[in-house]
């Protein structure tokens, strides 16, 4: 505490801060007062008498206004300047912290989009056309699930291959790249070439190394239960998912004998929901056998039987799909690798037709015309 020119005591910085910030009741009295002005709202009887004329500039009976000469020669209190600047800095710092808190708040997370690929062997090449449209429209895919040949294409996409690179791969691929004749009593073809093809193209050995999370589905031939792979070695689950009955023998994985995943999930939308997808697109290669000619050999008999079962069970996976894309594959055989360009074009056509609905689903604005 020190004295001004007229010998009235003045509060120092510590007393003033204590008075302004540590006495909540005094501040309440100040705000409730009826006196006009920021200074007059504080009740005079609650303020130390010595601080009245110098803190608030008010006059009172005990402390009359100083004479003109005193006013002329009296200098502003350095203590008051210090307290006011400290108050300004305190309020300014608080405001800055609020601004930083608001600006640093994380944006709301984007809802996850999952893409489910069904099977179809060579006809699954149509999935590439769907991927080309999604890439062109810059629609990000967060999760992928695949069944049978859809598992191979899904793994290639999750490994980082572009739709263009996958198209070039499909155009040059043939049935002999995936199958080798064998005398096994469980199937007509061995799938060792398929394993070599996947290792050569993907250059990735485990699910954990993929850039996008992937689920591969298969079916336990002993129990009929679905089996979903999301971690561990990658190639054997894909072989199991592609083990078409009668064509390829079952694949042993972790003590279970597994066959084609289409018997469990012809389009694996449900695994995507379980992985946390908010929106799910199912790409369905319709297996409707109506109008098909009579089967010519054993594999076509098995294929037609599986097609009938698949049509009967499609309501099971459609309930978990927000959007279903159905490329036209009628007239394409299971081994028509030489018609890859046509299948890709049909996939693009189906995806383009579904784009308006997809944009509404994801709440995306229409691109400028």
């Amino acid at each position: 505490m020190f004295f001004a020119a007229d010998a009235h005591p003045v509060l120092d910085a510590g007393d003033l801060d204590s008075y302004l910030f540590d006495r909540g009741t005094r501040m309440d009295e100040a705000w409730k007062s009826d006196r006009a002005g920021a200074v007059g709202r504080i009740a005079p009887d609650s303020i130390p008498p010595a601080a009245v004329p110098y803190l608030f500039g008010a006059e009172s009976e005990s402390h009359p206004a100083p004479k003109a000469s005193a006013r002329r020669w009296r200098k502003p209190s350095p203590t008051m300047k210090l307290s006011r600047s400290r108050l300004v800095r305190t309020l300014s710092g608080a405001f800055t912290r609020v601004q930083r808190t608001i600006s640093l708040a994380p944006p709301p997370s984007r809802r996850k989009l999952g893409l489910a690929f069904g099977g179809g062997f060579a006809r699954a090449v149509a999935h590439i056309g769907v991927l080309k449209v999604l890439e062109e429209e810059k629609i990000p895919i967060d999760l992928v699930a695949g069944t049978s040949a859809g598992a191979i294409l899904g793994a290639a996409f999750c490994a980082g291959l572009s739709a263009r690179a996958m198209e070039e791969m499909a155009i040059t691929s043939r049935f002999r790249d995936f199958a080798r004749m064998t005398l096994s009593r469980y199937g007509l073809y061995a799938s060792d070439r398929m394993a070599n093809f996947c290792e050569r193209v993907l250059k990735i050995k485990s699910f954990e190394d993929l850039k996008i999370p992937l689920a591969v589905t298969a079916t336990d031939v002993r129990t009929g239960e679905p089996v979903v792979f999301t971690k561990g070695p990658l190639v054997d689950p894909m072989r199991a998912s592609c083990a078409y009955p009668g064509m390829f023998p079952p694949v042993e994985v972790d003590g279970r004998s597994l066959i084609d995943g289409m018997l469990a999930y012809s389009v694996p939308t449900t695994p995507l929901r379980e992985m946390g997808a908010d929106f799910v697109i199912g790409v369905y290669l319709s297996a409707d056998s109506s109008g098909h000619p009579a089967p010519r050999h054993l594999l076509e008999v098995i294929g037609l039987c599986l097609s009938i079962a698949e049509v009967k069970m499609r309501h099971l996976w459609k309930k978990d799909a927000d959007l279903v894309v159905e490329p036209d594959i009628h007239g394409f055989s299971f081994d028509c690798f030489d018609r890859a360009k046509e299948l890709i074009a049909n996939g693009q056509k189906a995806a383009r037709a579904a784009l308006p609905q997809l944009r509404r689903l994801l709440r995306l604005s229409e691109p400028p015309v």
Side-chain angles (χ1 to χ4, degrees):
M1 182 176 292
F2 63 93
F3 292 87
D6 57 355
H8 289 295
V10 179
L11 295 177
D12 61 13
D15 293 335
L16 180 59
D17 288 346
S18 175
Y19 180 80
L20 290 177
F21 298 103
D22 298 340
R23 299 186 182 181
T25 57
R26 293 187 181 279
M27 297 303 295
D28 293 338
E29 292 174 1
W31 286 109
K32 293 179 181 178
S33 176
D34 294 332
R35 296 187 61 184
V39 174
R41 282 198 295 267
I42 301 179
D45 57 352
S46 64
I47 304 175
V52 172
Y54 300 99
L55 179 59
F56 299 101
E59 298 179 10
S60 65
E61 295 180 359
S62 58
H63 298 281
K67 297 179 181 180
S69 60
R71 290 183 179 177
R72 185 171 57 252
W73 294 104
R74 186 174 61 191
K75 296 182 179 180
S77 170
T79 308
M80 284 300 301
K81 288 184 178 180
L82 177 62
S83 298
R84 287 176 181 173
S85 62
R86 182 178 298 176
L87 176 61
V88 170
R89 288 198 304 270
T90 302
L91 295 177
S92 177
F95 181 70
T96 303
R97 285 193 295 272
V98 171
Q99 282 187 320
R100 289 176 178 173
T101 302
I102 295 175
S103 62
L104 294 178
S109 58
R110 183 173 57 83
R111 305 190 72 180
K112 293 182 179 180
L113 176 62
L115 187 60
F117 288 143
F121 210 59
R123 293 169 293 192
V125 171
H127 294 320
I128 299 176
V130 177
L131 286 174
K132 288 186 68 176
V133 173
L134 295 177
E135 284 188 356
E136 292 169 1
E137 298 296 324
K138 294 180 172 56
I139 297 177
I141 304 300
D142 302 288
L143 303 166
V144 177
T147 288
S148 193
I152 296 179
L153 293 172
F157 178 71
C158 293
L161 271 72
S162 66
R164 176 69 64 182
M166 294 171 64
E167 181 180 18
E168 295 175 358
M169 176 187 68
I171 292 173
T172 58
S173 297
R174 293 295 181 265
F175 181 76
R176 61 179 177 273
D177 295 325
F178 304 94
R180 177 178 58 83
M181 283 291 288
T182 182
L183 298 177
S184 171
R185 57 181 177 176
Y186 295 111
L188 299 177
Y189 298 92
S191 59
D192 53 341
R193 289 183 178 178
M194 185 186 303
N196 296 333
F197 177 86
C198 293
E199 291 177 351
R200 183 176 69 256
V201 171
L202 301 181
K203 298 181 175 62
I204 288 177
K205 295 184 177 181
S206 68
F207 283 86
E208 289 79 3
D209 296 330
L210 296 171
K211 297 180 179 180
I212 299 174
L214 171 70
V216 172
T217 64
T219 306
D220 190 320
V221 71
R222 298 189 183 99
T223 65
E225 295 178 351
V227 181
V228 180
F229 295 93
T230 58
K231 58 184 179 179
L234 183 59
V235 174
D236 282 345
M238 287 195 295
R239 288 177 56 225
S241 186
C242 295
Y244 193 85
M247 181 179 293
F248 296 107
V251 178
E252 295 289 329
V253 181
D254 296 333
R256 307 181 76 169
S257 186
L258 306 179
I259 58 173
D260 201 312
M262 64 181 295
L263 294 172
Y265 299 110
S266 55
V267 181
T269 57
T270 303
L272 287 176
R273 292 292 185 187
E274 296 171 352
M275 293 169 68
D278 299 298
F279 301 109
V280 174
I281 303 173
V283 185
Y284 178 45
L285 306 179
S286 177
D288 191 353
S289 59
S290 59
H292 285 197
R296 297 169 297 174
H297 48 74
L298 175 62
L299 291 181
E300 287 192 356
V301 172
I302 297 175
L304 290 176
C305 292
L306 293 177
S307 297
I308 294 171
E310 185 179 344
V311 170
K312 300 294 184 182
M313 296 187 300
R314 60 186 170 188
H315 67 280
L316 297 177
W317 62 263
K318 279 192 173 184
K319 63 180 177 61
D320 287 318
D322 297 293
L323 176 65
V324 178
V325 179
E326 296 189 42
D328 183 11
I329 61 168
H330 287 89
F332 293 88
S333 63
F334 75 95
D335 59 348
C336 59
F337 288 96
D338 56 329
R339 302 179 65 184
K341 289 185 177 180
E342 298 175 60
L343 287 165
I344 293 173
N346 287 359
Q348 287 179 277
K349 183 179 179 180
R352 287 288 176 192
L355 263 183
Q357 186 178 352
L358 177 59
R359 290 187 175 278
R360 288 193 298 269
L361 178 68
L362 301 180
R363 297 178 181 178
L364 300 176
S365 59
E366 292 291 338
V369 178

